[in-house]
Amino acid sequence: MRTYGKFKHLPAAEVNDGRARWAVTAEPHVLGRFKRVFPRADQVRSGTLLLSDTPEIARDLAWFMDRWPLEPVNAASLAHLEARDTAYRLSEEQVLRILEGGTAPDFGWREPALPPRSYQETVAHLAHTTGRVLCADDVGLGKTVSGSLVLRNPDALPALVVTLTHLTRQWERELKRFFPWLTTHIVRSSRAYDPAQRRGSGGKQPDVLIMNYHKLAGWGDHLKGKIATIIFDEMQELRHRDTSKYRAAAIIADQAQTKIGLTATPVYNYGDEIHNVISILDRDALGDRDEFMREWGADEYGQKRRKVSNPRALGAHLRETGLMIRRTRKDVGRELPDIMRIEQPIETDREKLEQLSGDAADMARLILDQNANHELRFRAAGQLDMKMRHATGVAKAPFVAEFCKLLLETEKKIVLFGWHRDVYEIWLERLRAYYPVLYTGSESQNQKDRNAEAFINGPARILIMSLRAGAGLNGLQDVCSTAVFGELDWSPAQHHQAIGRLARDGQQSPVAAFFLNSGDGSDPPMVELLDIKRQQSDPIIDPDAQAIEPSAAAAMDRVRALATDVLRRRGVQPPEPREAKPAKPRHLQPALI
């Protein structure tokens, strides 16, 4: 039989980065077709091409060889290809059956004390079948129960739940409600210890450990190989790979048999964050970062940026392969009253803005000066971001307070979102007649619990909440349907999460979210860049999301956009950006066959 090249399986031990790969050589015309079929392959190489060893790649490689046969270098490579191809076909059939609503087999697992909803069981079936799944269901659809249903399987224990600090007790309560036979332990220290030695344990290891992300780094090596199931709640916390908690999560997950991620907002900024999240659940599913960017990344000005070129297509791929499942309230028949997003122009104290922004123009010039020292530009970028956001928040804080007073003439209670302590103090003083309470990063967890209780069941009519606090908090929806954004976040996902504090099961009224945007300071460039980021995040998780046409700001990062705006508002023409030089080809390693 005519063959057009060779292929070889390279075990992880034979590759520098410890990631098993396929190595392929072929005749030039076939190699060109191979690159088009496998966009993950390095498009500038002409010798041996390398691809991560995943079941999906094996399936596609076997399909490719139906047309252009390749000769295996050894029998082990052929056997491995056939095994991976078969495994992928079987998994593909099972995933399709689950997603189409097929009846799951009776595994003989113990039934939960409270009946789950059918759509929640789908997550457990996917996790049991594939060993990993990202549940990106909309806020308020009960992802806690969806993720924990796999714990009915005795083989899924012991388990680890990693969540946000304020949600550890909430997770413990939910597990007790649905699985009262499971023993739990909330980790209290960042330093690893033996839970069986703690008071009340009876000398036994718990079925489920619950800890927050801040403690994860100290437990990675200790829990390596000891956890059967790991559940990452609010998994957007792992969207950055260069952190100690990310490394610890990977250490534990790599040896766990079942990995489940839960988040309605896996992408906060740019589309490449989804690669970091998925790679924890399945290290090889999207290939290494270079492969992912070659296949899905947007090529701008000759350099690979953090954007995904076709987020809608990537989202479809994740859903169809069972890597991610995403349901909206409409999908599962649990629609809430509508959410009204209202952009409300608001005044600012321009004198205060100018006073607090100080040397912002000098920093803006430095940031945009491409001949300046890189370290100085980097430091100035952070300073400008903090200075302008703080100045804008303080300058419009009195007007935000007056707007809230108007709302409280008709609304019983409101949640007011902000970011800066100085801004909170202005709000507390001007709104003191309404008994405002705080839920921010400065209070202890006990204080936060007391303040939430005062808002839900007490006299407090305003809950001042940090934009990045309280994800997953339950109960606010019972007494409030109005959110006010007195300050903005750079990430649209944070706004979505914040609205989700109110738009969840139990809400009886339409939720109104007021975005109080100033025409000065940091607000204008933030509003523009938020649209760019929504273009990346929304289509990945929601196939029906409306794509937003990219604007001129698409080529800028957030601080360059802010610096440009600062100079323009001061009547200074920003320098024209230099055209980036094309990136030099990167060679992975010498030919291997």
Side-chain angles (χ1 to χ4, degrees):
M1 179 179 65
R2 165 93 157 94
T3 59
Y4 296 85
K6 297 181 179 182
F7 74 93
K8 180 182 180 181
H9 177 250
L10 304 173
E14 297 181 14
V15 184
N16 293 338
D17 64 359
R19 187 187 293 268
R21 283 187 167 85
W22 295 103
V24 175
T25 58
E27 296 176 13
H29 70 289
V30 174
L31 204 62
R33 292 177 180 269
F34 188 89
K35 291 177 181 179
R36 291 196 291 273
V37 172
F38 295 92
R40 293 186 188 183
D42 192 334
Q43 300 297 300
V44 301
R45 281 190 66 88
S46 57
T48 300
L49 295 182
L50 301 178
L51 291 170
S52 291
D53 171 24
T54 71
E56 182 186 8
I57 290 294
R59 174 74 184 95
D60 290 344
L61 189 57
W63 166 78
F64 183 86
M65 288 194 296
D66 283 342
R67 176 65 179 84
W68 294 281
L70 302 175
E71 179 184 352
V73 170
N74 51 44
S77 295
L78 178 60
H80 188 75
L81 178 68
E82 291 175 342
R84 296 287 257 178
D85 178 29
T86 301
Y88 187 81
R89 289 172 186 264
L90 178 60
S91 175
E92 195 174 37
E93 293 173 1
Q94 292 173 325
V95 166
L96 183 60
R97 185 162 54 248
I98 292 170
L99 295 179
E100 289 181 343
T103 303
D106 183 2
F107 297 115
W109 298 342
R110 190 170 180 176
E111 290 300 315
L114 299 172
R117 300 173 184 130
S118 59
Y119 69 85
Q120 292 174 319
E121 294 196 82
T122 301
V123 177
H125 297 159
L126 276 175
H128 179 73
T129 299
T130 67
R132 79 292 185 267
V133 67
L134 175 66
C135 177
D137 286 350
D138 206 356
V139 290
L141 286 185
K143 288 186 290 295
T144 299
V145 177
S146 297
S148 61
L149 284 172
V150 74
L151 301 181
R152 293 175 294 173
N153 179 7
D155 293 336
L157 303 174
L160 170 66
V161 173
V162 189
T163 187
L164 302 180
T165 301
H166 65 278
L167 296 180
T168 54
R169 295 173 186 170
Q170 186 169 301
W171 261 92
E172 185 175 54
R173 289 194 298 269
E174 287 298 289
L175 290 176
K176 292 294 184 186
R177 287 180 62 222
F178 282 85
F179 316 103
W181 62 87
L182 293 179
T183 58
T184 60
H185 174 77
I186 296 178
V187 172
R188 306 293 184 186
S189 172
S190 298
R191 181 174 297 178
Y193 59 83
D194 184 359
Q197 301 303 315
R198 290 298 170 112
R199 182 181 302 174
S201 67
K204 296 181 179 180
Q205 296 292 342
D207 295 315
V208 184
L209 277 177
I210 306 171
M211 74 170 65
N212 64 46
Y213 282 97
H214 296 298
K215 295 182 174 64
L216 190 58
W219 285 77
D221 291 327
H222 180 77
L223 294 178
K224 179 181 178 181
K226 299 178 182 178
I227 297 296
T229 300
I230 185 165
I231 301 172
F232 296 104
D233 184 32
E234 302 297 342
M235 198 181 178
Q236 70 274 3
E237 290 292 305
L238 298 178
R239 65 190 184 277
H240 302 305
R241 66 171 54 244
D242 296 324
T243 63
S244 57
K245 63 184 175 183
Y246 188 94
R247 290 187 286 272
I251 287 172
I252 302 171
D254 280 349
Q255 295 197 25
Q257 66 184 29
T258 305
K259 285 88 70 172
I260 300 174
L262 308 173
T263 173
T265 52
V267 176
Y268 265 36
N269 295 292
Y270 293 99
D272 69 334
E273 291 175 354
I274 196 69
H275 178 263
N276 298 338
V277 171
I278 292 294
S279 292
I280 289 287
L281 303 177
D282 190 329
R283 184 184 181 212
D284 295 318
L286 296 176
D288 62 28
R289 182 174 177 80
D290 286 341
E291 289 177 322
F292 175 78
M293 293 310 297
R294 281 194 291 266
E295 183 171 9
W296 298 105
D299 192 1
E300 294 184 344
Y301 301 100
Q303 295 181 345
K304 294 293 183 181
R305 302 294 296 271
R306 297 174 297 167
K307 289 179 61 182
V308 166
S309 60
N310 192 337
R312 194 182 304 279
L314 175 57
H317 171 73
L318 296 175
R319 288 187 294 273
E320 290 182 5
T321 55
L323 277 165
M324 180 178 76
I325 185 168
R326 157 78 173 181
R327 281 79 56 90
T328 65
R329 292 183 170 279
K330 183 178 180 180
D331 294 333
V332 301
R334 298 187 62 79
E335 290 190 77
L336 287 172
D338 291 336
I339 298 174
M340 297 178 291
R341 291 174 172 83
I342 305 159
E343 292 198 18
Q344 176 68 40
I346 197 166
E347 294 181 56
T348 55
D349 183 337
R350 293 192 176 183
E351 183 177 341
K352 178 67 71 174
L353 180 62
E354 290 295 327
Q355 174 189 341
L356 293 176
S357 60
D359 58 350
D362 293 335
M363 286 187 286
R365 290 191 191 94
L366 177 60
I367 293 165
L368 296 175
D369 182 1
Q370 298 186 33
N371 294 316
N373 178 273
H374 175 74
E375 184 177 347
L376 292 176
R377 291 172 63 199
F378 182 80
R379 191 180 305 130
Q383 292 172 348
L384 180 67
D385 184 15
M386 290 188 293
K387 182 181 286 288
M388 290 304 300
R389 290 181 67 192
H390 174 258
T392 303
V394 172
K396 70 179 187 178
F399 302 97
V400 170
E402 291 305 311
F403 183 83
C404 290
K405 289 179 183 179
L406 289 176
L407 281 179
L408 288 168
E409 291 181 4
T410 55
E411 300 295 329
K412 183 179 179 182
K413 301 194 177 194
I414 63 173
V415 178
L416 175 57
F417 290 100
W419 184 248
H420 293 95
R421 174 58 55 178
D422 289 357
V423 174
Y424 301 154
E425 294 298 332
I426 295 171
W427 291 346
L428 287 170
E429 172 62 25
R430 290 177 175 262
L431 298 170
R432 63 182 182 276
Y434 304 94
Y435 305 103
V437 291
L438 292 170
Y439 198 108
T440 72
S442 300
E443 298 79 43
S444 69
Q445 190 56 50
N446 286 334
Q447 288 174 318
K448 290 177 183 176
D449 292 342
R450 287 195 297 269
N451 288 347
E453 176 64 20
F455 181 73
I456 296 171
N457 296 312
R461 296 184 63 192
I462 300 178
L463 179 64
I464 297 174
M465 202 170 205
S466 169
L467 282 159
R468 302 207 172 196
L473 180 65
N474 205 19
L476 304 184
Q477 73 274 20
D478 296 332
V479 297
C480 179
S481 62
T482 303
V484 178
F485 290 87
E487 294 188 90
L488 299 179
D489 195 282
W490 280 111
S491 170
Q494 290 289 4
H495 298 154
H496 183 74
Q497 283 274 4
I499 294 171
R501 317 279 197 277
L502 305 179
R504 53 197 308 122
D505 274 352
Q507 181 59 259
Q508 300 298 314
S509 304
V511 171
F514 292 91
F515 291 85
L516 307 188
N517 300 332
S518 164
D520 296 303
S522 63
D523 278 4
M526 289 183 77
V527 170
E528 186 174 14
L529 197 62
L530 284 168
D531 285 343
I532 304 300
K533 292 179 178 179
R534 276 194 292 269
Q535 181 193 10
Q536 287 280 286
S537 60
D538 290 0
I540 288 179
I541 61 173
D542 185 356
D544 298 322
Q546 293 297 314
I548 301 170
E549 289 300 319
S551 72
M556 304 179 187
D557 65 18
R558 68 189 197 188
V559 181
R560 281 185 55 82
L562 181 56
T564 301
D565 189 78
V566 165
L567 291 181
R568 283 178 175 162
R569 289 179 182 276
R570 284 164 169 74
V572 179
Q573 181 62 34
E576 292 295 327
R578 291 184 303 185
E579 184 175 349
K581 297 180 180 178
K584 294 182 178 179
R586 297 176 64 246
H587 298 284
L588 294 180
Q589 52 183 294
L592 297 173
I593 53 177

